[in-house]
Structure formats: C-alpha cells, structure tokens
Amino acid sequence: MGTLNTLRSGVAGLVALAALGSAGSAAAEDVTLQYWVYSDFAQGDALALQQEFIKEFTAKHPGVTIEIVGKGDDDLTAGQVAGAASGQLPDVFMNAQSVGAQLVDVGALDNLYSKWMAMPETFRAQFDADALKGCMPKPDELYCLPYTGFGSLLFRNLTVLEKAGIDAKTPPATWDAWFAQMKKVKEAGMYAIPDDTLVFNSVAEIYATSGGNDSWGFDWANRKTRIDPAIMTKVLQKFVDMKGLNSSTSRNDQATKDLFISNQLAFHNIGPWVNPTYEEAAKASGLKYDFVLIPGDTAGKTGGIRSYEMIGVAPGKHADLAFEFATYITEKNQMARWAKLLSRYNANAAAMADPEVSALPLIKVSVEAAHGAMDVAAPYFIGSVPSCYNSTVTDVAAATADGEYTPEAGAKEMIAQLNDCLAK
Amino acid sequence: MNLRRHLPHYLMIAPFMILFAAFFLYPILSGLYYSFHAWNGVKTPEFIGLANYQKIATSRDFATAMRNLLTYVAITVPLGILVALGLALLVDNFTGRWANFFRNAYFLPVVLPAFLAATIWRWIYAPNFGLLNMMLGWFGIPSVNFLNDTGTMLYALVAVDVWVSAGFNMVIILAGLKNIPVELYEAARLDGASKRQQIVHITIPMLGPVLFFVVTYGLISAMQVFDKPWLLTGSSFTTYGGRRNALLFPVMDMMGRAFGGVRFGEAAAYGFILTLSIVALTAALFALRQWRGWR
C-alpha cells in the first residue's frame, strides 16, 4: 500500500511538473495583438502617445507585441464585420457605440461583463456612468469599454459677429436670441450657420434645442421611433426659418470650415474636433473665435448631441490579454495624458476631473456640453439602425425646408416613414 | 480514349477553368444562394424565399436609386460618347508630338484615382471658393452649391463622369478612325462631299462596331456607378445619397444594406437585381443591333 501511495505521489508530482512546464511555455509564447484605431489616432502626436502606451504595456508583458493599424470610420466597421465572417478579427479595436449592435450581431464583440466585474471597484468607478450604460444593453452584458467621445459645441466667429453689430461678450442663452443673431448676420451679408438638414447629426443637434433623450432614439421593443411629433414640428419650423440664412454647405464640408476661417460664416455647430483647424487658422490668419454651448429653447437648456467611441475586444484565445490592454489604455492616467495632448473629451470621468485636464478650456466646455446634450442614436447595442432611418430624417427635414411640406405635415410624414423603416 | 486524346487540351484550359470556377462561378452561385436567405455574414443563413427581393422592390430607396440611375445613364452615356467622338475627330487632325500631347492630356483623367478626381471636383464645385463659382462670379452670377442643390447635383456628377470617361472613349474611337480607309475620303472629296457629309456618311457608319463597343461598355459602367457620387457627397455606410437622395444609386444602396445594416442576404439579392438589369439592357442593345443590321 505504501509503495502504491509513493508511486501515486510520484506520478502526481510528475503531472504537476509537466503542467507547470507547459504553463511556463504558454506564458513565454509570443503573442501579437492586432489593435485597430481611428486613422487620426494613427498619425502625428496621437500615434506617438499610442505607441508610448503600447511600449509601457508590452514592457510588463514580455513576448507580447501590439500592432497598431489606423483605419477610417467605414473601414473599421467593414473590416470588423468582414473579419468576424472570416475569423480574422483584430483583437482590440475602436469604433463608435452607434455601430455596436451590428458588431454584436456578427459576433465581433466579446461580452466583457465577467472580466469587467473582476476588475477592482476603483477602476470601474472611473468611467462616465452614461457612457458605460451605453455599453450595457442588459445588466449582465457589457460589450465595450467607453473611450473617447464628444458633446457638440457652437463655434462662433467673433469678427463676423462684430461686423454684424452683435455683442459677442455674452453668448446667446436661448434659441430666440441665437436666431435673432443669425438674422443680423445674414442682413450684414454673411452666412449664419451651415445647412443643418444635410447631416443626421446636425438635425439631431437642432432637435436637441427643443427636445431631449426622452423623445429621441428608438423604441426597439415596438420597433418605432421615439420622436415626438410636436417637438419635430417645432424643429422643422426652425429649418424653414433658417433656410435663407445658411451657407448651404454641410457641417462636415471643408467649404464650411473655409467660410468660417475667412470670416463669412458666424456659427459652426459641430464637435470639438474642428478646434485644431481653427486654432491653426487663429495663428496663421488671425481668426478670432470661441466655443460655447448650443443654446436651447429656454435659458439653461442646451442643444447639441453627444456620442461615445468605444474600445471593443474580439472573442478568441487572446481575449483576456486584449481586455487587459483595453483596461490599460482606458485607465485614468492614460486618458488624462490623452486629454491633455489632444484637448479632447473622453469617457473617463476621473480623467476629466483631473485638475490639469479640467482646466483646459475646450475640455471644460466639452464636459458641460456632453452632460447637457442628447445621445445621437441611443439605446445602443439593442438593434442595428437601418440606413433608411438616418436618410429619412435628413430627407424630410430638407424637403420641409424646401417648402415641400408644412412643418406639421413634415413631422407627421417623417414619423410615419421612420416607423415604416424600423418595422422592416 | 477521347479523354486521353484531349487530355493536353483540358490541361491547357484547366488553369483558366479553375480560376473561373473559383473567382467567378462560385461567388455568383453563392451570391444567388444567399439572396434567398436572411444572413448577416456570420450566423447560419435562414431561408426566406423571395422576401429579400420583395423587400428591395418595395423600398422607397430602391425606387429613388433606380430613377436616379435611369436619368444618369440616359444623359451620361450619349453625352460621354458625343464628347469623346468630338475630341477624337479633333485630335485625329493632329500629327506627331501634338497628337501625343492631346491623347495623353485627355486620357489623364482615366488613370487618375477616383479619390483624387473627386477631390479635384469637390474643389471646383465648392461654393464661394470653388473655381466654377469664382468664374460665375466674374459674370455677376451668385454662388451655386453644385453638390448640395438637388437641381444641380446630378448634372455635376455627369460632368465629372464625362470628364473621366471621355479620354478612354476617345482613345478607342481614335483607333477606329485610323482603321477607316483613306480612299473612302478621297473618293468622297472627288465627288464634292463636304467635311460634315464625310463625317455623317463615312466616319460614323465606319465607326459602327467601335461606337457599339463604347456604348455597351459605357452603359455597363454607368449602371454600376458608385465611387464618384460616393466621394463627391462625402458618403459613409450610414450617410449616402446626398441631399434628399439626389445622388443615391443602386450600388450605394446595396453597400449600405450590406455594411451599414449588416444584411448581406438582402445585398446579394440587390446585386442580382442589378446584374439582371445590366444583362437585360445589354441584351436589348445586342438585339437592337441585330434587328437594325448594324455591323
């Protein structure tokens, strides 16, 4: 019996040694993670900082290499969908929360909930609660870590306002005050605002001056729009009123930026990403501008939209390591360095509250804007928004501004078409 | 016995047949299969019969895309060929260095990447700053936003397309012109035919096969229009078609359904509708040629 026990112990010991050996070789195995980022994060200073993050992470993880690849918005989505189909997904990647449902649908996103819950409470508490909620369609599902984001702002050309006889010291507090300024700008021979019927996000921005999250987005359970006809009627009336005042260029066109820089456009309502261009123009050509909150219908209410970008992790054998990397780059210290470098808002509330970060003027306004703004297309991760949805909103808004519908008829038609689009 | 005798021949055509089967036949057949299924590219396809086709045929965007396409094809194909024919007749008069210069100058847009061509034209069309608006300003004409005004968007695209395709068509037509025997023109001149009469009664009829080729090729290309309107309107998978969908075309709509909505089965059905439309139009063109006795 004793001999048998000795033999058993010996075998167990050998098995344990073998297991340790194989574990050791697994740990030493070289791993390469594919990391896809937005193309503007893969160049210049932003790339240098990303590479610094990678260097810091890999220094603590011998044998791990991280390949960073920059891609345009559409390429990210198309690549992730195609990657899911072919089993060649990048391990960790950025994208907008608004395409999250598509990515979940094709199996490109790992459910991170258990890994997330295993993280210390101090880590979890860092993130903006709304941004985090956006990643969680159900209490036990978490498909992303909130990353960057934006709240849209009103960029004002102070030279144009001065020429139009407007006192720019106090920003307009309400829509009426803002609209009165727009009319003055036009009377002075300049453009007030870009054509906000051309881009879905612009329409949403103006909607947010009258409405908010409670009457926007999707009722996925009944596959209906949550847009309120009375609010949309009010919004469409605004587009009719602004028709003769706008530059007929979209907020995203280079032509709009050119008009602003050359003192022909008073207001540019857009995200903070245009600031580097305007900052450069201020240095090069003396552009005088500032950025304020988009005024809503009543004092204290702000318009504008917010949206978040996310970090996703692909399911697969490197998912744990990829998640670890994702938590490293979204952690407060990294996000604070990121915010300081780019002066860009992100979803790490602790980083935003860092005194050095919150003192930055663009960050300060962005944080306020994001908190008062309306989500672009929430709730995310529930269902894929059909492309007919966005085009219906812009088409009917443009048609109403062109006089094809009265605002009331336009709102009714838009809602009918949106419900029809969602029902299919 | 026969197989043994023909084995070398089969072996010789085998590489082509394998590539044809792998990269042409298989994608077509699998596309046809998926067009009858609800499929997101990853999950198991679910058979839904003709539902995808029905959904597309009854969608508002499909109607808009088809209407835009027919208008675009009806304008751009004849106009593109007329411009190319005019250029070819002009360039044909030049010899030596000048002939080469003009041939290359007009052919340059053909080799230009679509992105670059679109960037150039976005600048030309830009309101206030654009070259075209600057020129209109000289005559006191107010600025036009060519790419956001529903009245001008389609024509703005046609101009870009004619600019790009004219060089290709011109080179083909020029090659055709070189093949017309000079004796025909000499005989016509002796008979007192004017330059216009020579073009109408000799050049155009003798260019018949070449013109048929450029019409067919132009039609097929125009039916698949995608990159230029996509880039000119700054489209993405979720925003495309420009203001009030004035530049929405079938391939864009198909791409939006595939990547914007992750509905690959529906996109496959869309592809088949488009392919069948192209085949039907091309077949009609060939039938017309046969019926009219064109060579």
Side-chain angles (χ1 to χ4, degrees):
Chain A
M1 193 65 180
T3 316
L4 191 64
N5 278 342
T6 311
L7 194 65
R8 273 185 190 150
S9 308
V11 170
L14 281 172
V15 169
L17 272 175
L20 276 174
S22 66
S25 69
E29 187 190 345
D30 288 347
V31 173
T32 301
L33 295 184
Q34 281 281 323
Y35 173 38
W36 286 8
V37 302
Y38 286 108
S39 47
D40 53 339
F41 294 167
Q43 51 194 321
D45 290 342
L47 175 64
L49 186 59
Q50 288 279 354
Q51 280 168 333
E52 210 173 299
F53 294 162
I54 290 170
K55 208 168 144 190
E56 288 161 8
F57 182 81
T58 51
K60 291 179 195 156
H61 295 78
V64 175
T65 308
I66 295 172
E67 281 176 4
I68 184 168
V69 181
K71 284 186 180 278
D73 297 17
D74 275 354
D75 288 346
L76 277 174
T77 307
Q80 284 154 21
V81 170
S86 63
Q88 295 293 318
L89 272 167
D91 301 283
V92 56
F93 48 81
M94 292 176 186
N95 211 325
Q97 280 187 345
S98 53
V99 295
Q102 286 152 254
L103 300 179
V104 170
D105 201 32
V106 299
L109 287 168
D110 198 15
N111 181 0
L112 305 170
Y113 187 73
S114 55
K115 294 185 185 91
W116 167 260
M117 290 308 287
M119 294 297 289
E121 170 61 27
T122 45
F123 175 81
R124 287 187 277 142
Q126 294 175 29
F127 294 89
D128 182 284
D130 284 332
L132 191 64
K133 212 164 81 182
C135 292
M136 299 183 80
K138 289 177 188 163
D140 57 348
E141 288 178 9
L142 176 85
Y143 287 107
C144 62
L145 295 183
Y147 193 51
T148 46
F150 72 89
S152 47
L153 304 169
L154 186 64
F155 285 81
R156 302 192 305 160
N157 182 311
L158 303 175
T159 307
V160 171
L161 296 184
E162 197 184 318
K163 273 191 206 165
I166 296 164
D167 178 13
K169 282 189 205 97
T170 316
T174 61
W175 165 264
D176 287 340
W178 186 22
F179 184 60
Q181 292 190 358
M182 288 192 215
K183 283 200 284 192
K184 274 190 174 179
V185 168
K186 185 65 188 174
E187 281 159 17
M190 291 158 292
Y191 298 111
I193 189 168
D195 183 352
D196 275 339
T197 63
L198 294 173
V199 177
F200 178 81
N201 282 5
S202 302
V203 178
E205 252 167 32
I206 299 298
Y207 186 94
T209 59
S210 295
N213 278 327
D214 52 342
S215 68
W216 185 249
F218 319 95
D219 170 3
W220 284 113
N222 299 303
R223 296 200 73 88
K224 284 188 169 183
T225 180
R226 292 173 62 207
I227 289 177
D228 183 304
I231 296 174
M232 187 47 89
T233 301
K234 221 170 171 182
V235 170
L236 293 179
Q237 182 62 53
K238 289 179 181 178
F239 288 127
V240 173
D241 295 343
M242 285 190 291
K243 172 73 180 168
L245 315 178
N246 72 54
S247 60
S248 77
T249 55
S250 106
R251 69 182 211 148
N252 297 335
D253 277 359
Q254 181 59 40
T256 298
K257 289 182 207 156
D258 292 341
L259 288 170
F260 192 87
I261 289 167
S262 61
N263 300 326
Q264 292 184 64
L265 177 73
F267 304 107
H268 190 187
N269 46 332
I270 196 166
W273 53 83
V274 295
N275 193 54
T277 309
Y278 291 161
E279 210 170 33
E280 197 57 42
K283 283 181 208 153
S285 64
L287 170 72
K288 283 192 218 158
Y289 77 101
D290 70 359
F291 34 78
V292 297
L293 298 177
I294 297 175
D297 279 355
T298 51
K301 168 158 179 55
T302 55
I305 48 165
R306 65 178 173 193
S307 188
Y308 295 101
E309 288 97 28
M310 61 178 184
I311 293 281
V313 172
K317 63 175 180 171
H318 300 317
D320 287 344
L321 186 63
F323 177 73
E324 208 182 320
F325 177 64
T327 56
Y328 181 73
I329 54 174
T330 52
E331 199 267 329
K332 186 198 161 191
N333 289 330
Q334 281 61 260
M335 292 316 293
R337 284 148 80 191
W338 186 242
K340 273 185 257 179
L341 176 77
L342 302 176
S343 246
R344 279 283 304 275
Y345 174 79
N346 63 56
N348 190 309
M352 291 295 99
D354 181 296
E356 273 184 66
V357 174
S358 60
L360 297 165
L362 189 59
I363 294 273
K364 193 172 175 286
V365 181
S366 293
V367 170
E368 281 180 64
H371 287 159
M374 194 176 78
D375 284 316
V376 174
Y380 307 110
F381 293 94
I382 309 284
S384 303
V385 183
S387 54
C388 51
Y389 193 91
N390 288 11
S391 65
T392 297
V393 170
T394 50
D395 285 354
V396 179
T400 309
D402 288 350
E404 199 175 304
Y405 303 107
T406 63
E408 202 175 13
K412 210 171 152 191
E413 175 65 19
M414 184 191 285
I415 290 165
Q417 283 190 34
L418 291 177
N419 287 338
D420 186 42
C421 166
L422 286 173
K424 284 177 183 170
Chain B
M1 190 64 180
N2 262 349
L3 181 69
R4 202 169 165 186
R5 189 154 57 94
H6 292 299
L7 192 61
H9 305 131
Y10 287 127
L11 282 176
M12 267 190 250
I13 62 166
F16 168 77
M17 294 309 289
I18 291 165
L19 290 174
F20 176 78
F23 296 107
F24 192 78
L25 209 55
Y26 173 72
I28 285 180
L29 292 177
S30 65
L32 186 63
Y33 168 80
Y34 290 124
S35 75
F36 298 116
H37 293 76
W39 186 52
N40 70 359
V42 176
K43 288 182 184 163
T44 312
E46 180 198 339
F47 182 74
I48 51 168
L50 291 169
N52 281 332
Y53 289 92
Q54 197 186 1
K55 191 173 170 183
I56 292 162
T58 55
S59 85
R60 199 186 304 258
D61 282 355
F62 177 72
T64 308
M66 278 299 179
R67 196 174 53 241
N68 289 346
L69 181 69
L70 290 177
T71 316
Y72 169 77
V73 167
I75 301 171
T76 200
V77 175
L79 188 65
I81 290 166
L82 272 175
V83 170
L85 181 64
L87 289 176
L89 289 170
L90 275 174
V91 172
D92 195 38
N93 287 326
F94 293 104
T95 51
R97 209 178 291 173
W98 283 113
N100 280 337
F101 170 75
F102 283 113
R103 226 183 344 242
N104 291 332
Y106 288 121
F107 196 74
L108 199 62
V110 183
V111 293
L112 212 59
F115 174 75
L116 212 55
T119 306
I120 292 170
W121 281 90
R122 275 178 77 100
W123 173 70
I124 290 172
Y125 286 141
N128 299 296
F129 298 95
L131 182 69
L132 202 52
N133 272 311
M134 211 171 71
M135 288 161 78
L136 290 176
W138 296 339
F139 303 99
I141 300 169
S143 174
V144 180
N145 194 343
F146 293 97
L147 294 174
N148 275 324
D149 185 328
T150 48
T152 56
M153 288 165 77
L154 190 72
Y155 303 103
L157 172 67
V158 166
V160 179
D161 207 64
V162 168
W163 179 73
V164 172
S165 64
F168 176 80
N169 289 337
M170 183 199 74
V171 169
I172 305 285
I173 295 170
L174 260 179
L177 286 174
K178 300 289 176 206
N179 283 332
I180 301 175
V182 286
E183 295 82 10
L184 293 178
Y185 292 106
E186 280 169 10
R189 270 198 299 274
L190 286 172
D191 288 342
S194 66
K195 195 76 185 166
R196 192 188 67 82
Q197 284 170 323
Q198 287 174 41
I199 291 173
V200 172
H201 298 291
I202 300 171
T203 310
I204 305 286
M206 291 301 285
L207 280 176
V210 171
L211 291 177
F212 183 76
F213 169 77
V214 289
V215 168
T216 312
Y217 183 80
L219 193 74
I220 293 169
S221 300
M223 293 283 287
Q224 297 173 64
V225 61
F226 168 71
D227 52 0
K228 288 183 276 294
W230 184 273
L231 294 163
L232 282 173
T233 53
S235 295
S236 73
F237 289 137
T238 47
T239 58
Y240 49 88
R243 184 180 171 83
R244 300 180 67 182
N245 274 334
L247 287 185
L248 176 70
F249 292 100
V251 178
M252 292 165 101
D253 197 11
M254 183 179 77
M255 292 286 283
R257 286 168 200 250
F259 291 100
V262 199
R263 300 191 302 271
F264 288 100
E266 203 178 303
Y270 211 123
F272 265 90
I273 293 173
L274 191 61
T275 306
L276 290 176
S277 310
I278 294 173
V279 169
L281 262 175
T282 314
L285 210 59
F286 273 89
L288 188 71
R289 183 197 198 196
Q290 190 88 4
W291 176 57
R292 299 290 297 170
W294 295 336
R295 286 183 300 126

